[in-house]
Amino acid sequence: MFKKKIDIGKVIVKDAVFKVQRQPNAAFFNIHFLIAFFEGNHDGGPRPKKFEFHMGGADLVRARIHLSDAAIGTTAIITCDTAYVHSHGEMGVDMIGKKVWADKAHLAGTKIDVHVYDALPLASEHPDTLDLIPVDSTIPYWDVGCEKLLVNDVSFSLRNDRNGIDSSRFLDFNNLNFTNINLDVDTFRLQKEVFTGKVRQLHGIDHGGFELKSMQGDALISPKQIAVSNFLLETNNSTLGHALKLEYSRYRDFYDFSNKVKIWATLDSTTVVTFRDIAAFGPAIKQNIFIRSNLDRPIAIQGKFKGKVNNFRARDVDIRISKHSHLAGNLSMNDISYPDAAFMDLNLKEVATNNQDLKAMLPFLKLPPNLSTLGQMRFKGSYTGFFQDFVAYGQLDTKLGRIRSDLQLNIRKGKKAAAYNGGLIFNNFDIGSYLNQEDFGRITINSKVSGVGLTIETLNAKLENAKIDSFDYKGYQYKDILIDGMFHQKQFDGDIVSRDSNMAVFVRGIVDLNESIPRVNIRGTVDNINFERVNISKDDIALHLDTFD
């Protein structure tokens, strides 16, 4: 004692109760006097030599630890069945230097309950301000390291009364209650609130239903970030692999995960996720109708991701939603948890799907009944805009033919009031099979269209410079036809020019579809129509009119 040095080989503590508390309006913890004694008090002169208190190892059996700090509004009660620190040589526990170096540390049969409540800040030197005493002003950071850390059958609960409890959440960070926690870590290190180590196994189950089934990898946890590399993580319905980093300003940011936690991820072929597991961290995304309709659908993902749930970028991604549906390319998405504000900028190398998968993924949409005739669909191009207001540019290959688009479409008000503008090209497209019309065959057409309405009753559209290179009708292929005009109130008013060798005509007028039998009021010229060759008549009949009205 006179040398200010205490060296103990091993300490065994049984049936003990430890209380470390800072009461309301108290400046220091109840053990402050003890720490001050061992550190050495001084009155402005040279600091005296500190005590050295070293233990080669420690065993804790049936202990209870009560930590309470009213200044920051936190209480923790730890009930421990067994715990030990085993070391050799100069390793051990330095109680004054706040160091623990060991070969092996083990914690088992332990219950940890944390309660967060309104803090009672301490009065500062300035009576008009209230400041919190930093946690380490009385109890400095510990430096803990061991070659092997084992945690078995531990439970952890956290109740945060400051923010309130949300029982509807799958994983509520204000009301955590994890049981059956098991942890196996090599080269464990905890220094100034930064944890590092090679995690061999991590498991835990929350009372809300979320389960961390397994995790392995190189880990770092600090007050600013969580990072794991070379990892494999498995939850209820998801598996993630390779590298992941979460950045935040403070742990409290997890309460608003979608907007405040930044994600950096490189995901490999082992990764399969569900929206339900993502919603455990950011439940607001369930407001998106697509996500809400596909919560439990497994989605295989590879690629690089950067950003927050509500504002992220993804590069070189390959997303497989089912056997027949996948997406590859670069993605940028904003505000996906806000139904009317979700914005997407997609540069797509390929999107593949079919009618059956679309019906399963989009149950909230009424898809055209003849969509199944397209078979497996593959799209390459770009998509920019909102879910119901977008610009689509690219090429769609189907069983019936190819469609190219540069089209802006707004369907926020439904099909009857849908607005559109842009260009469409159908290349050798089997329009007869799509419309289930035997007389029609394939069509190749290049057109520009703008207007409102996608039903025959509300259609108000302008067809501009529509050029039909070829069109099969009744077994004859028409060529070189131009159409220009307006369709309004079930009436078409415009021009049709055909330069086909067997039907050379110019027609201008109105076709009225309001009656059961269409009314036609047209005028123009007919250079030549060969009714037999265009399969309208079996007889060799030809027609020529200079003008007609």
Side-chain angles (χ1 to χ4, degrees):
M1 291 292 290
F2 294 106
K3 294 181 178 180
K4 293 190 174 182
K5 183 176 182 179
I6 301 175
D7 198 342
I8 301 175
K10 185 177 181 180
V11 173
I12 301 176
V13 179
K14 295 182 178 181
D15 301 313
V17 177
F18 302 91
K19 288 188 177 181
V20 180
Q21 299 175 317
R22 177 161 56 177
Q23 300 293 343
N25 300 317
F28 301 105
F29 287 87
N30 58 337
I31 63 170
H32 173 72
F33 76 96
L34 188 61
I35 294 174
F37 172 76
F38 280 107
E39 288 188 339
N41 290 314
H42 62 99
D43 300 321
R47 180 182 291 273
K49 180 182 177 181
K50 290 184 179 181
F51 265 90
E52 295 181 24
F53 187 3
H54 180 269
M55 294 182 292
D59 285 15
L60 199 61
V61 181
R62 296 185 302 275
R64 180 181 174 89
I65 303 171
H66 186 181
L67 306 174
S68 179
D69 189 352
I72 63 173
T74 302
T75 295
I77 298 175
I78 305 170
T79 304
C80 175
D81 187 10
T82 60
Y84 65 78
V85 175
H86 289 174
S87 60
H88 68 274
E90 296 183 358
M91 293 183 174
V93 180
D94 181 354
M95 296 296 294
I96 306 304
K98 283 56 177 188
K99 291 183 179 181
V100 177
W101 288 92
D103 293 322
K104 186 176 182 180
H106 187 207
L107 180 66
T110 299
K111 184 178 181 182
I112 304 171
D113 298 315
V114 179
H115 181 208
V116 179
Y117 45 89
D118 291 335
L120 297 174
L122 305 176
S124 69
E125 296 178 358
H126 306 284
D128 57 338
T129 63
L130 291 176
D131 297 316
L132 292 181
I133 300 294
V135 175
D136 63 327
S137 64
T138 300
I139 305 177
Y141 296 117
W142 280 71
D143 185 357
V144 180
C146 61
E147 293 302 314
K148 172 68 76 173
L149 172 65
L150 292 174
V151 174
N152 299 114
D153 191 24
V154 171
S155 64
F156 171 83
S157 69
L158 168 66
R159 182 180 179 88
N160 189 337
D161 288 336
R162 294 179 192 170
N163 300 328
I165 307 302
D166 185 355
S167 58
S168 66
R169 291 188 60 161
F170 189 38
L171 181 64
D172 185 2
F173 287 100
N174 291 312
N175 185 28
L176 296 174
N177 191 353
F178 274 90
T179 58
N180 196 24
I181 298 174
N182 294 281
L183 175 66
D184 182 348
V185 183
D186 290 344
T187 60
F188 173 86
R189 185 74 184 271
L190 177 62
Q191 188 177 36
K192 293 187 177 180
E193 296 189 75
V194 178
F195 154 77
T196 59
K198 187 175 188 63
V199 179
R200 297 291 184 184
Q201 170 66 351
L202 175 60
H203 174 266
I205 305 173
D206 183 63
H207 69 132
F210 180 82
E211 180 178 4
L212 178 58
K213 291 185 175 181
S214 174
M215 194 196 89
Q216 304 93 38
D218 301 318
L220 180 149
I221 301 176
S222 79
K224 296 293 183 181
Q225 67 172 276
I226 296 174
V228 286
S229 58
N230 304 312
F231 83 102
L232 182 64
L233 182 150
E234 183 180 359
T235 67
N236 303 60
N237 307 295
S238 302
T239 302
L240 281 77
H242 195 54
L244 174 68
K245 181 168 70 171
L246 307 178
E247 292 185 346
Y248 40 87
S249 299
R250 51 186 178 174
Y251 290 117
R252 192 178 299 176
D253 289 348
F254 279 83
Y255 299 137
D256 188 11
F257 188 93
S258 298
N259 296 303
K260 292 186 177 181
V261 177
K262 191 172 184 179
I263 305 169
W264 304 69
T266 301
L267 304 178
D268 61 19
S269 59
T270 63
T271 301
V272 178
V273 301
T274 64
F275 287 123
R276 183 176 297 278
D277 281 351
I278 297 174
F281 296 88
I285 67 171
K286 290 193 290 186
Q287 297 180 50
N288 184 295
I289 189 171
F290 174 79
I291 292 175
R292 191 167 63 248
S293 301
N294 293 273
L295 279 176
D296 296 310
R297 183 179 299 278
I299 303 172
I301 301 179
Q302 296 183 63
K304 299 177 181 178
F305 295 79
K306 174 184 176 181
K308 302 169 184 176
V309 171
N310 264 333
N311 183 5
F312 73 87
R313 309 289 180 266
R315 296 292 178 265
D316 303 320
V317 298
D318 192 310
I319 301 174
R320 186 163 296 277
I321 303 175
S322 72
K323 183 179 179 180
H324 301 289
S325 297
H326 84 276
L327 179 153
N330 299 325
L331 318 177
S332 174
M333 305 187 75
N334 296 329
D335 297 326
I336 64 172
S337 64
Y338 305 105
D340 296 325
F343 184 87
M344 295 166 280
D345 185 4
L346 315 179
N347 185 0
L348 305 169
K349 294 180 180 178
E350 182 179 69
V351 177
T353 189
N354 59 27
N355 180 62
Q356 183 178 356
D357 283 359
L358 286 176
K359 288 173 66 176
M361 291 185 292
L362 307 173
F364 50 90
L365 290 182
K366 187 177 181 180
L367 300 174
N370 45 358
L371 194 64
S372 60
T373 62
L374 299 178
Q376 184 72 7
M377 295 171 277
R378 299 183 182 277
F379 177 80
K380 178 182 179 180
S382 63
Y383 179 106
T384 305
F386 306 92
F387 193 77
Q388 295 183 316
D389 183 5
F390 58 87
V391 174
Y393 174 81
Q395 175 177 298
L396 176 66
D397 288 306
T398 75
K399 184 176 73 173
L400 301 183
R402 175 174 292 174
I403 303 173
R404 294 179 180 175
S405 72
D406 184 6
L407 184 68
Q408 180 179 2
L409 178 63
N410 185 337
I411 55 175
R412 290 184 183 275
K413 297 180 180 179
K415 291 191 298 183
K416 291 183 178 181
Y420 41 86
N421 180 42
L424 282 173
I425 299 175
F426 289 79
N427 188 6
N428 199 31
F429 187 82
D430 189 351
I431 191 70
S433 295
Y434 183 75
L435 298 176
N436 195 26
Q437 294 288 333
E438 293 183 356
D439 290 340
F440 292 167
R442 294 186 176 274
I443 186 172
T444 297
I445 180 174
N446 187 340
S447 66
K448 291 183 179 180
V449 62
S450 60
V452 176
L454 290 175
T455 66
I456 191 67
E457 292 79 14
T458 62
L459 184 62
N460 182 7
K462 180 179 181 182
L463 193 63
E464 186 178 358
N465 298 325
K467 184 176 185 297
I468 301 176
D469 292 324
S470 62
F471 173 50
D472 298 338
Y473 180 69
K474 286 185 176 293
Y476 178 78
Q477 187 177 81
Y478 294 86
K479 296 182 178 180
D480 200 4
I481 300 175
L482 300 176
I483 302 177
D484 199 283
M486 289 286 299
F487 196 99
H488 178 58
Q489 294 181 344
K490 300 176 71 172
Q491 291 184 351
F492 174 78
D493 184 356
D495 300 338
I496 300 176
V497 179
S498 172
R499 298 191 181 98
D500 184 88
S501 59
N502 291 303
M503 191 181 73
V505 301
F506 166 74
V507 175
R508 171 173 292 169
I510 298 175
V511 179
D512 190 344
L513 303 178
N514 282 286
E515 305 294 337
S516 57
I517 299 177
R519 292 190 302 167
V520 179
N521 182 10
I522 60 175
R523 59 181 178 175
T525 61
V526 176
D527 291 336
N528 174 48
I529 298 180
N530 190 315
F531 291 97
E532 181 185 23
R533 292 184 179 179
V534 298
N535 296 327
I536 295 178
S537 172
K538 294 182 180 180
D539 298 325
D540 186 8
I541 301 174
L543 177 66
H544 171 82
L545 293 173
D546 289 332
T547 59
F548 66 88
D549 192 347

